[in-house]
Amino acid sequence: TGFKRAGAQLLTTNTFGASLPKLIEYGIQDRHSEIIISSVKIAKEVANGDAYVLGAIGPLGKVLEPLGPTSVVEAENLFAVNVEVLERAGVDGYTLVGFHDFKELEAAVNAVRRHSKKPVFTHIGIQDNQKTNFGNTLQEYVALAHKLDVDVIGLAGEVGPSGMLTALQTLRPLTKKPIALLPNAGFPRYVNDQYIYLCNPDYIGKYAKRYVQAGANIVGGHSGMS
């Protein structure tokens, strides 16, 4: 509700980690549909018709071929299970968040396309070198996003506000599609036996204004923003 009160027009379901492989780790895979449906219900109640609800889907936590044992087809089918439930629950669109492996991202987009005609937002994670953990560049990301014809091209973590602005300045000339930025609240520091984010709202707010001025269409937050 805090995000809604602050003026958010796009709310996401709390389903980033609700894939079957991750739920199996905790022995709660039998509650898969229940978890997703409940999350959508809560988000829609908060939205109350004044905001859109996007079904959030994160990486599976598995390594895809050829580096790992999970095939692209298997990954797509696992994503499709989530999409089917999110679609039945009535989300307004889909936000794919925090992807580094482009094969996995493409599998997720294809899964959405199999079961829905609603908008698809994609967000990759980048490091300080402006690349994903797999070494993919922003130029390669835009090429993939255009190939898949996603509705919104986005970035979500792992850099803070400054690094995200640098990425936007590279990204904006490469595409005419809407761009979404979800920066981390800086980098966490280990203080008094816990990790905390030291960014304050004023600092993040100033960068949000810079994002819009530099051509971002959607501005939000990722880790450390809750």
Side-chain angles (χ1 to χ4, degrees):
T1 57
F3 295 111
K4 173 75 178 302
R5 287 198 302 268
Q9 296 175 304
L10 296 170
L11 301 178
T12 61
T13 58
N14 187 22
T15 52
F16 174 82
S19 64
L20 279 172
K22 291 185 177 181
L23 296 183
I24 287 172
E25 293 180 17
Y26 297 95
I28 55 175
Q29 63 272 21
D30 291 342
R31 301 181 62 190
H32 176 256
S33 293
E34 175 192 348
I35 290 169
I36 293 177
I37 291 170
S38 296
S39 182
V40 175
K41 180 181 178 182
I42 292 170
K44 291 180 74 172
E45 287 175 351
V46 172
N48 194 31
D50 298 322
Y52 295 104
V53 173
L54 302 179
I57 298 176
L60 297 170
K62 287 179 166 287
V63 181
L64 272 60
E65 59 184 5
L67 300 177
T70 304
S71 72
V72 173
V73 172
E74 181 183 357
E76 184 174 325
N77 289 336
L78 286 169
F79 285 124
V81 173
N82 278 41
V83 176
E84 287 180 289
V85 181
L86 288 165
E87 189 73 9
R88 289 201 312 268
V91 296
D92 299 305
Y94 295 84
T95 177
L96 312 181
V97 185
F99 284 78
H100 287 268
D101 181 353
F102 282 7
K103 284 188 177 180
E104 186 177 23
L105 177 59
E106 185 167 0
V109 173
N110 288 338
V112 174
R113 298 290 195 215
R114 277 167 51 184
H115 299 283
S116 177
K117 295 182 179 180
K118 294 173 183 174
V120 181
F121 296 46
T122 59
H123 303 82
I124 63 168
I126 56 171
Q127 306 299 309
D128 282 334
N129 61 5
Q130 304 290 295
K131 296 180 180 180
T132 71
N133 284 340
F134 280 66
N136 298 114
T137 66
L138 293 173
Q139 289 81 359
E140 291 170 333
Y141 172 44
V142 171
L144 176 63
H146 285 173
K147 170 192 166 186
L148 299 175
D149 195 25
V150 302
D151 296 277
V152 176
I153 296 177
L155 305 175
E158 278 93 23
V159 295
S162 178
M164 196 64 82
L165 179 59
T166 300
L168 173 62
Q169 291 166 342
T170 297
L171 199 61
R172 182 70 280 176
L174 299 175
T175 182
K176 293 182 179 179
K177 286 182 177 290
I179 292 176
L181 297 183
L182 310 178
N184 278 8
F187 290 97
R189 302 290 177 85
Y190 193 67
V191 180
N192 294 329
D193 297 325
Q194 62 180 334
Y195 285 99
I196 62 173
Y197 289 87
L198 300 179
C199 270
N200 60 51
D202 182 62
Y203 177 78
I204 294 171
K206 288 179 179 177
Y207 269 95
K209 184 176 181 179
R210 293 174 185 172
Y211 296 155
V212 174
Q213 291 172 338
N217 305 95
I218 298 169
V219 177
H222 196 51
S223 298
M225 296 284 193
S226 58

